[in-house]
Amino acid sequence: MIELTGWGPLGISVDWAAIEGELGVPLPADYKELYEVFGGGVFSDSLYFLGRDEGPAFDFLTQWRVSLSVDQDSKLGNVSAVEPYAIYAPGSKGLVEWGSTERADEYFWLIDAERPGEYPVLARANDVGAWHRYDMSTSEFLYRVLADADFQPWDRAVQPRHDVQARLRRPLRRPATVTRGWLSHVRGHDSAVVSHRDP
């Protein structure tokens, strides 16, 4: 991903032990590396990568807590938004979302507390489609969705894959502000880039 984007690592520091303690399982090592390099935000104007950012928009832990709360709410019955699966609860087996697209496609890990270290990617189109399983790392899945024209989950790409370099954006962090400081990170792009970084 670093080679694809041409960006230097941000070097974000995260207390992974605290997060993994709450989840009860370690997170995929490549996911943690991706987040430390890029932060949470948007790739190619359409693929949302969740991290551990301030505010709920790109914070996978906040979104997981809310999803788990809804999934376990007895007032809503025994229906799960991720059927036939359930949202992961510590010590169990279930899904944790780490990405999505502007088209409501969703990307999850299937986490099994009894099998730590195995993190197949489960994906579905438009949050109601059939589930597709990909036995690959988070970073490989993300790279292939963005850059591999032959890899098209559910027979469609996130975006046309021509000129990927010009469309990749530094992942976003806070409510959008337009800056020109990030232009050096987007090769061949001469307009302002939406960024969630403090100036």
Side-chain angles (χ1 to χ4, degrees):
M1 289 297 299
I2 291 173
E3 190 175 306
L4 175 67
T5 63
W7 301 335
L10 291 175
I12 297 171
S13 178
V14 178
D15 185 355
W16 294 116
I19 294 167
E20 293 169 339
E22 182 175 345
L23 292 169
V25 291
L27 288 169
D30 73 304
Y31 164 79
K32 293 187 284 189
E33 291 174 27
L34 277 170
Y35 178 74
E36 290 169 0
V37 169
F38 297 110
V42 180
F43 286 100
S44 197
D45 295 328
S46 62
L47 196 151
Y48 301 91
F49 178 70
L50 304 180
R52 187 63 184 110
D53 291 15
E54 294 176 21
F58 296 106
D59 183 357
F60 92 92
L61 196 57
T62 298
Q63 293 198 20
W64 169 72
R65 289 174 185 146
V66 170
S67 296
L68 180 61
S69 174
V70 170
D71 213 48
Q72 294 180 338
D73 188 337
S74 61
K75 291 182 263 179
L76 300 175
N78 291 331
V79 177
S80 174
V82 293
E83 286 189 346
Y85 302 97
I87 296 297
Y88 171 79
S92 70
K93 181 177 181 178
L95 303 183
V96 173
E97 186 173 14
W98 60 265
S100 62
T101 70
E102 64 182 357
R103 297 178 184 148
D105 301 337
E106 299 173 302
Y107 307 136
F108 292 81
W109 296 299
L110 176 59
I111 296 179
D112 185 343
E114 294 183 12
R115 303 180 81 160
E118 293 182 20
Y119 306 97
V121 173
L122 291 183
R124 67 178 173 179
N126 300 316
D127 78 13
V128 294
W131 289 101
H132 301 269
R133 179 180 172 131
Y134 300 91
D135 291 311
M136 62 181 66
S137 69
T138 308
S139 54
E140 181 181 356
F141 183 87
L142 183 60
Y143 178 86
R144 291 186 67 191
V145 166
L146 291 171
D148 183 350
D150 295 327
F151 182 73
Q152 296 187 15
W154 47 88
D155 299 323
R156 67 186 171 115
V158 169
Q159 285 270 14
R161 288 185 168 74
H162 63 281
D163 198 18
V164 170
Q165 285 283 353
R167 288 182 293 103
L168 287 171
R169 300 288 188 270
R170 179 62 84 171
L172 310 178
R173 300 205 29 128
R174 293 200 172 120
T177 58
V178 178
T179 67
R180 298 203 177 265
W182 292 101
L183 290 178
S184 62
H185 296 290
V186 184
R187 295 182 186 164
H189 197 276
D190 59 0
S191 63
V193 175
V194 176
S195 171
H196 286 247
R197 289 272 181 232
D198 292 329

